[in-house]
Amino acid sequence: MTQINPTVQYREDYQAPHYWIDTLDLDIQLHDSATQVVAISRVRRHGEHDEPLVLDGEQLTLLEVAVNGVAFNQYQQTEHSLILSQLPQECVLTIKTELNPSANTALEGLYKSGSAFCTQCEAQGFRRITYYLDRPDVLARFSTRITADATSCPYLLSNGNKVDAGVLDDGRHWVQWQDPFPKPAYLFALVAGDFDVLRDRFTTLSGRDVALEIFVDKGNLHRAHFAMQSLKAAMAWDEQRCQLEYDLDIYMIVAVDFFNMGAMENKGLNVFNSKFVLADDKTATDADYLDVERVIGHEYFHNWTGNRVTCRDWFQLSLKEGLTVFRDQEFSSDLGSRSVNRIQNVRMLRSLQFAEDAGPMAHPIRPDAVIEMNNFYTLTVYEKGAEVIRMLHTLVGESAFQRGLSLYLQRFDGQAATCEDFLATMSEASGRDLTRFSRWYSQSGTPVLKVRDHYDANHQRYSLTVSQVTPPTHDQSQKLALHIPLSVALYTEQGEPLTLTLQGHSVNPVLDVIEAEQEFIFDNVPSQPVPALLQSFSAPVKLDYPYSDQQLSLLTMHSIDEFVRWDAIQTLINNAVLANVAQRQGGALSSVPQSLLEVFTSTLQDSSLDPALAAEMLTLPTINSLLELFEQVDISVVGEAHAQLQQELATRLAPLWRQAYQQNQTPNYQVEHTDIAKRALKNVALGYLALAGEETHAQRQYQQADNMTDTLGAMKAAVHAKLACAGAMLADFEQKWQHDGLVLDNWFRLQATMEDGAAVARIDQLMAHPTFSLTNPNRVRAVIGAFANGNPLAFHAIDGSGYDKLVSVLVLLNTSNPQIAARLITPLIQFARLDDQRQSLIKARLQQLMDLPDLSGDLYEKIAKALA
Ligand code: B3K
Ligand code: ZN
């Protein structure tokens, strides 16, 4: 039986707090296992009532309580709260508590990352530091005094500005910080430790001189330069594109090795997973560099969208996350290739967010009911949330969008806002009615947009009939029509674009689909056109239009919108996989269709194409995303079809892969977009060459590489094609990088995704490696996460051994780090597309977890939904 008694919170039950806290002065005496915290707050009753003050607190030892300086005993303690009764209208409340950072393996609240102290408070970690109103609508001015051992912790950091410091005679020292901006507790941060510091400065548009400091582990200073460059680029971008300036005199970033997610936007003191800070040519791939740029940008952009204006309650999370992801996507697109960024985001959405929408955790971007808030930092809230903002941007245009954003930030500055507040401001600034659009916030699921067309040659008229259906999801059975921007273009059969007109007027290429079914008519269409639908992926929907191979080939070559070119190839590939699976199920084997060979050939021969775009066009969808094409399917058959397609493309186009490989060499490594693009295409070509059995290219590239992108490109190609040289490469790589966890994660990941009968045994070996530790989330993700998500054929082995492996790890993480456990369980609960046999294997394992005596709320919420 499960011990937990999970409580569900509902969005509709929101109530303003009974008390406000205007200031909080923290005095923190850091000790490894007995840290003492004195929290002095000014508390003010909100309205007339006799309700007690209920403070949140977890895993704290209460030492003292005083009101206005006098010891106070009108309180009650529960496992999760401190309840104070009969407080005066206004008072100064002093609470002294003790906690144990060394024992904190959940990495929430105050914990040790190696020898440094650090904090993670979002969403509800502050209650593990002191008793407090730990909710985002309570904003206070914080001051923080930190005292610690001067030798082990020369740097003592917190939010805001450093206002005082001193040395004590017992070998300890202290620093006092003051944050002038009122903030909710989730934005609090503290770091104490010894670091190397990279320093720089930035002058804002209005002339404010800002000190920039990046703190990294000793010896890693040379790996922080790219992060600093990205930070300055982000600051400049926000000024140029959004007229937003930084507001404090200092901006600090600390890189730590033990971190549950990517990074955290604490006011003035971001704490980062070192994976998103450290980068140099020898250790980081091109993709790693771009991730650093993106995450540094994301956290910086939160300073306005998240910190200056925060969320009223956690159900509104997408208010800050969807908007900030949109902002980081725009930042990456303005700095690099817009089309490639768009394609990569769509790939992620289709392979992961669509699966979330189709699974037991389906929820709207603004959820209605939550047990464990950490379970809702999802692809839906973040990525689909960003798509919703992007649709808004498409509907109102850049200038109205920027006006709306400014108005929203001015109006709600220093406050906690809601998604409705944001939409109302956007509507006011743009003059658009967003009533129907607002349903995107309350409805879950992936809409299917069905488009059928008719060409009337007599009247030279072309009509599109568009209908929308959102299939029912686990959380909602009834669905309403949404406001969907559908961006279209028409091409002649020669590939010439046509101007869209109706009755002599040109028609906006973004059609407003608002009804369940609608017709759009264009005139002056000289011949049957080929429609390019959903340009730039104008809405997060599944498109249903009966494209012929011929139409798809035409779009691949002629569409002005590059996303459509890529998507047309994806559809050709999907069709080939569908046909192949159907024939396998019927016993026969089909080979790769001629149309697909032809578009691959023309893509490889098109020298005007951006190589990064070509690389995307020539990369097959993952097996997991192909599952979305089926209602239910035997995943091993999809795997066979995928492998056959890849193998045939490799062998039949070998001379072209060789040519692409040779033409895209980049001597002298530079992190520069044209070079990144060439390396991307070169390494895609290398992967196919390896599959075609050519060993020399991979071998030579591995030996001669002067950068991690090429080293890994070669090793991946060799390992996935099972070339004889793969073993030696893996051994060499391990020997070279065994002391660097972040680099070795690539080695872990690659081996965890090797598909063969030995996969589970290999996971055991990797977990026994001296560098592996279940306490470090990066290592766990690199081995267990990569196996469960990136090795679907082994994970879904029909003997259940893959499921057993994951479950055995979840049992351990359930107690040590429930947040990570709940992240890792995702592939086990998304079983809807799998065959009945696998579904029942999975359900038995989920039941086994459900029966754990100490099951965490994090896992309970997901398993209960999956079994319901
Ligand atoms: N806001 C944090 C995420 C916190 C996750 C808490 N489980 C990072 C970000 O989105 O920028
Ligand atoms: Zn964020």
Side-chain angles (χ1 to χ4, degrees):
M1 266 306 289
T2 115
Q3 297 294 301
I4 53 149
N5 181 16
T7 30
V8 186
Q9 311 268 7
Y10 296 94
R11 178 171 65 84
E12 301 239 297
D13 291 349
Y14 173 81
Q15 279 194 323
H18 291 310
Y19 293 84
W20 298 114
I21 298 179
D22 297 318
T23 62
L24 176 65
D25 299 324
L26 292 165
D27 184 339
I28 303 181
Q29 295 279 346
L30 289 173
H31 294 280
D32 278 359
S33 53
T35 286
Q36 293 202 343
V37 178
V38 178
I40 304 177
S41 49
R42 294 191 160 272
V43 178
R44 178 162 54 91
R45 191 181 303 155
H46 176 203
E48 283 306 313
H49 61 76
D50 304 321
E51 300 293 332
L53 169 63
V54 183
L55 300 177
D56 308 293
E58 258 165 51
Q59 295 173 22
L60 297 171
T61 308
L62 182 63
L63 301 177
E64 277 170 41
V65 183
V67 169
N68 293 331
V70 181
F72 186 79
N73 56 16
Q74 298 280 51
Y75 66 80
Q76 241 184 295
Q77 252 184 297
T78 74
E79 203 189 334
H80 303 293
S81 58
L82 178 67
I83 306 170
L84 302 120
S85 318
Q86 289 165 27
L87 288 174
Q89 183 83 19
E90 286 186 24
C91 67
V92 175
L93 175 64
T94 304
I95 297 177
K96 188 171 175 185
T97 46
E98 191 175 286
L99 64 129
N100 182 353
S102 295
N104 184 350
T105 55
L107 315 186
E108 258 196 301
L110 176 66
Y111 64 93
K112 300 271 324 248
S113 171
S115 57
F117 290 89
C118 68
T119 56
Q120 171 54 36
C121 293
E122 187 177 0
Q124 297 172 330
F126 191 71
R127 61 188 64 184
R128 291 163 186 245
I129 297 176
T130 183
Y131 285 103
Y132 196 68
L133 283 179
D134 190 5
R135 44 187 288 169
D137 57 352
V138 172
L139 281 74
R141 283 200 169 76
F142 280 59
S143 79
T144 308
R145 182 181 153 125
I146 311 167
T147 309
D149 177 66
T151 319
S152 57
C153 296
Y155 293 98
L156 305 176
L157 315 174
S158 191
N159 320 83
N161 302 309
K162 190 174 179 174
V163 290
D164 204 358
V167 178
L168 305 171
D169 36 16
D170 56 357
R172 291 167 71 81
H173 70 146
W174 59 273
V175 174
Q176 175 86 38
W177 293 85
Q178 174 79 50
D179 185 352
F181 293 95
K183 63 166 178 289
Y186 82 87
L187 288 173
F188 170 79
L190 171 158
V191 173
D194 194 6
F195 303 97
D196 276 344
V197 192
L198 182 64
R199 295 193 165 85
D200 207 328
R201 309 203 75 84
F202 183 88
T203 308
T204 69
L205 217 53
S206 67
R208 177 193 285 276
D209 178 36
V210 184
L212 310 177
E213 299 184 344
I214 300 185
F215 297 79
V216 295
D217 275 355
K218 292 245 152 208
N220 272 334
L221 205 61
H222 63 288
R223 292 165 85 183
H225 291 281
F226 186 78
M228 184 63 88
Q229 184 187 319
S230 302
L231 174 60
K232 290 191 285 182
M235 296 176 86
W237 182 88
D238 221 11
E239 293 185 344
Q240 280 155 23
R241 179 95 186 255
C242 306
Q243 277 75 55
L244 295 172
E245 263 186 52
Y246 188 60
D247 53 12
L248 283 167
D249 300 330
I250 184 165
Y251 192 91
M252 295 173 283
I253 291 175
V254 185
V256 299
D257 288 334
F258 288 73
F259 207 62
N260 278 347
M261 64 276 171
M264 179 62 211
E265 71 262 25
N266 318 298
K267 185 77 187 187
L269 176 57
N270 290 183
V271 179
F272 268 62
N273 186 326
S274 53
K275 177 177 169 55
F276 295 109
V277 175
L278 302 179
D280 67 3
D281 303 354
K282 297 280 173 289
T283 58
T285 62
D286 293 338
D288 290 334
Y289 274 107
L290 295 176
D291 278 344
V292 168
E293 180 181 272
R294 171 177 63 80
V295 180
I296 293 264
H298 181 96
E299 306 311 332
Y300 176 74
F301 302 140
H302 267 314
N303 189 53
W304 277 97
T305 51
N307 300 3
R308 289 287 286 259
V309 179
T310 188
C311 303
R312 186 194 70 176
D313 54 74
W314 288 122
F315 297 100
Q316 318 293 327
L317 180 61
S318 200
L319 174 69
K320 74 176 176 81
E321 295 304 347
L323 180 53
T324 305
V325 171
F326 172 77
R327 277 153 55 66
D328 84 52
Q329 289 177 351
E330 284 300 293
F331 170 59
S332 298
S333 301
D334 285 346
L335 263 58
S337 159
R338 179 162 289 272
S339 303
V340 171
N341 272 288
R342 192 69 192 124
I343 288 165
Q344 289 171 348
N345 292 333
V346 173
R347 251 192 225 282
M348 170 163 38
L349 207 69
R350 281 186 178 156
S351 62
L352 302 171
Q353 197 280 324
F354 283 12
E356 190 164 88
D357 254 343
M361 276 291 287
H363 56 277
I365 64 167
R366 185 190 53 201
D368 291 313
V370 164
I371 292 179
E372 171 50 61
M373 188 54 214
N374 285 329
N375 282 340
F376 287 83
Y377 287 76
T378 57
L379 289 144
T380 300
V381 166
Y382 275 65
E383 310 303 324
K384 186 176 178 183
E387 292 300 314
V388 171
I389 302 292
R390 184 169 296 284
M391 287 190 283
L392 206 51
H393 183 270
T394 304
L395 289 173
V396 307
E398 166 75 2
S399 68
F401 183 87
Q402 292 298 345
R403 277 202 309 281
L405 182 61
S406 305
L407 190 60
Y408 160 73
L409 294 174
Q410 265 165 39
R411 188 169 289 167
F412 297 100
D413 192 8
Q415 297 176 43
T418 63
C419 298
E420 283 93 340
D421 292 333
F422 178 76
L423 276 182
T425 334
M426 278 291 164
S427 175
E428 187 178 325
S430 65
R432 296 250 348 200
D433 178 359
L434 299 173
T435 321
R436 180 146 300 190
F437 185 82
S438 70
R439 289 179 180 172
W440 282 104
Y441 283 84
S442 49
Q443 187 161 293
S444 57
T446 310
V448 178
L449 206 59
K450 182 171 164 187
V451 181
R452 294 294 179 266
D453 57 351
H454 175 71
Y455 180 62
D456 174 353
N458 289 337
H459 299 94
Q460 302 213 323
R461 279 188 158 204
Y462 179 68
S463 64
L464 291 174
T465 306
V466 182
S467 55
Q468 53 164 312
V469 173
T470 304
T473 49
H474 277 244
D475 60 329
Q476 286 170 344
S477 52
Q478 303 293 324
K479 301 289 180 181
L480 303 168
L482 297 162
H483 185 168
I484 299 174
L486 172 61
S487 172
V488 301
L490 301 181
Y491 291 89
T492 66
E493 272 163 355
Q494 288 69 47
E496 296 293 326
L498 290 163
T499 316
L500 303 183
T501 63
L502 182 58
Q503 288 164 356
H505 299 289
S506 72
V507 174
N508 184 344
V510 181
L511 310 179
D512 282 295
V513 177
I514 48 177
E515 305 298 340
E517 184 167 316
Q518 258 169 290
E519 193 180 36
F520 298 90
I521 300 172
F522 310 100
D523 53 21
N524 284 322
V525 181
S527 59
Q528 171 84 42
V530 177
L533 301 166
L534 209 65
Q535 296 190 102
S536 302
F537 201 64
S538 59
V541 300
K542 291 186 179 174
L543 179 68
D544 166 3
Y545 174 82
Y547 277 118
S548 68
D549 284 5
Q550 206 183 355
Q551 289 176 311
L552 291 168
S553 303
L554 179 129
L555 290 176
T556 296
M557 276 176 295
H558 297 288
S559 168
I560 295 165
D561 184 279
E562 293 182 326
F563 168 80
V564 168
R565 299 181 74 163
W566 170 80
D567 204 27
I569 295 202
Q570 295 292 300
T571 309
L572 278 171
I573 297 170
N574 289 347
N575 292 345
V577 171
L578 283 169
N580 192 304
V581 168
Q583 284 173 350
R584 272 167 195 278
Q585 284 165 339
L589 271 191
S590 76
S591 62
V592 56
Q594 195 56 32
S595 52
L596 194 56
L597 281 176
E598 278 166 15
V599 293
F600 264 59
T601 303
S602 59
T603 303
L604 279 163
Q605 284 172 339
D606 183 351
S607 57
S608 68
L609 206 60
D610 171 10
L613 180 62
E616 291 296 340
M617 291 169 84
L618 299 166
T619 301
L620 299 192
T622 60
I623 293 173
N624 280 336
S625 64
L626 290 169
L627 284 187
E628 279 296 299
L629 300 173
F630 302 85
E631 277 295 313
Q632 246 190 308
V633 70
D634 176 350
I635 189 170
S636 64
V637 176
V638 179
E640 285 160 19
H642 183 269
Q644 187 197 339
L645 197 62
Q646 203 160 29
Q647 187 60 48
E648 276 193 49
L649 288 166
T651 15
R652 295 183 59 181
L653 302 177
L656 290 173
W657 296 124
R658 221 169 287 134
Q659 197 178 33
Y661 182 74
Q662 271 140 12
Q663 283 171 354
N664 288 281
Q665 298 292 328
T666 51
N668 304 325
Y669 185 76
Q670 277 184 311
V671 188
E672 197 266 313
H673 282 278
T674 49
D675 280 6
I676 293 177
K678 285 185 177 174
R679 278 189 294 274
L681 182 53
K682 176 187 73 179
N683 283 313
V684 167
L686 184 64
Y688 282 105
L689 283 174
L691 284 173
E694 297 196 11
E695 197 154 20
T696 43
H697 302 288
Q699 238 169 345
R700 200 179 314 126
Q701 178 168 317
Y702 184 85
Q703 281 155 8
Q704 294 176 355
D706 65 347
N707 66 83
M708 188 49 77
T709 306
D710 286 341
T711 302
L712 266 185
M715 193 162 74
K716 267 187 198 164
V719 167
H720 285 152
K722 305 188 172 78
L723 297 181
C725 58
M729 285 184 195
L730 286 167
D732 175 75
F733 193 94
E734 178 195 9
Q735 196 264 324
K736 250 188 212 139
W737 296 109
Q738 56 190 323
H739 301 299
D740 190 321
L742 281 184
V743 180
L744 209 63
D745 280 347
N746 294 298
W747 181 86
F748 280 129
R749 235 177 270 127
L750 186 54
Q751 293 182 84
T753 54
M754 285 166 74
E755 337 168 341
D756 55 25
V760 170
R762 195 174 295 114
I763 297 300
D764 287 332
Q765 279 167 20
L766 296 176
M767 287 178 70
H769 193 271
T771 318
F772 183 84
S773 162
L774 268 182
T775 62
N776 186 311
N778 285 351
R779 295 306 91 76
V780 175
R781 281 185 281 256
V783 177
I784 310 301
F787 171 66
N789 296 291
N791 197 349
L793 299 179
F795 176 63
H796 294 290
I798 200 67
D799 61 359
S801 55
Y803 305 145
D804 285 335
K805 184 79 271 161
L806 178 60
V807 167
S808 67
V809 173
L810 293 180
V811 168
L812 301 173
L813 289 171
N814 171 55
T815 40
S816 63
N817 191 332
Q819 201 177 323
I820 294 294
R823 290 242 151 204
L824 286 178
I825 203 174
T826 301
L828 202 62
I829 60 168
Q830 292 178 348
F831 50 68
R833 307 278 177 228
L834 301 173
D835 53 86
D836 293 341
Q837 197 182 345
R838 287 185 172 85
Q839 289 204 15
S840 58
L841 289 174
I842 289 178
K843 285 180 193 157
R845 267 78 181 176
L846 290 177
Q847 192 56 57
Q848 193 184 322
L849 286 169
M850 196 66 160
D851 294 339
L852 283 179
D854 53 355
L855 186 66
S856 64
D858 308 57
L859 278 178
Y860 170 84
E861 180 167 39
K862 294 193 168 184
I863 299 172
K865 283 185 177 167
L867 289 175

